[in-house]
Amino acid sequence: MMVQIMIAFALMHINAPTIQVGILGVDLSRLIPGILIISMNSGAYVSETVRAGINAVPKGQLEAAYSLGIRPKNAMRYVILPQAIKNILPALGNEFITIIKDSSLLSAIGVMELWNGATTVATTTYLPLTPLLFAAFYYLIMTSVLTVALKAFENYIGQGDKK
């Protein structure tokens, strides 16, 4: 991911303004390539996850839908995808949490994100531990809340399943 971020930043020459948010400046010429490369990297994993989830649904389900006269588009929408979501959701949740943690890699190209902001505050205030512990705690809270929410959603979706 770090190599991809560096290559994308080297190849993309975007002239964009810097937006001032409080004491921190957000340089869009650095943020846009960062968002694009994280999106493309994650998109590759997500597309493979969705493909695997759809392929995990037994072929007989699609054949049964066709035998009932359901058109291919509606068979995918109403028969295959609802079953595939149960297989796809845990991996998508993990990928979303990974994106949150991988956003700290954008500090290599000068994007002001949580980790970079914490190190900037640490060097400005000469208090190295407090801002870094705050950033670590913030990452912990974000990933924990997302994990609990995803687990609740998985339980909600799987209510009708036999145990």
Side-chain angles (χ1 to χ4, degrees):
M1 178 70 107
M2 181 66 81
V3 172
Q4 291 173 348
I5 289 170
M6 298 305 284
I7 290 172
F9 183 67
L11 292 177
M12 293 183 201
H13 300 288
I14 299 172
N15 292 327
T18 299
I19 299 172
Q20 198 68 23
V21 180
I23 62 169
L24 304 175
V26 179
D27 186 4
L28 294 180
S29 64
R30 297 174 185 275
L31 183 64
I32 292 171
I35 289 172
L36 285 175
I37 197 61
I38 286 180
S39 299
M40 288 181 2
N41 183 287
S42 178
Y45 287 108
V46 168
S47 65
E48 182 61 25
T49 301
V50 170
R51 185 202 61 78
I54 290 171
N55 286 343
V57 177
K59 300 289 182 211
Q61 296 292 326
L62 189 60
E63 293 169 1
Y66 289 161
S67 69
L68 291 172
I70 300 175
R71 294 176 189 252
K73 180 178 162 183
N74 288 336
M76 182 61 76
R77 181 176 178 190
Y78 295 114
V79 178
I80 303 298
L81 285 180
Q83 295 177 60
I85 290 293
K86 292 179 185 177
N87 297 329
I88 295 170
L89 190 62
L92 282 182
N94 290 340
E95 182 62 26
F96 187 63
I97 290 170
T98 300
I99 290 171
I100 290 172
K101 294 188 286 186
D102 281 349
S103 68
S104 64
L105 295 174
L106 294 180
S107 65
I109 59 172
V111 173
M112 186 58 71
E113 41 72 51
L114 182 61
W115 181 255
N116 199 353
T119 56
T120 301
V121 170
T123 57
T124 304
T125 61
Y126 301 110
L127 298 170
L129 194 57
T130 306
L132 298 177
L133 285 176
F134 177 79
F137 182 70
Y138 190 77
Y139 278 123
L140 177 68
I141 293 299
M142 284 192 327
T143 56
S144 298
V145 166
L146 282 171
T147 302
V148 169
L150 286 166
K151 182 67 176 166
F153 190 60
E154 287 174 30
N155 289 340
Y156 174 75
I157 285 179
Q159 283 179 349
D161 292 345
K162 294 180 182 178
K163 299 289 180 188

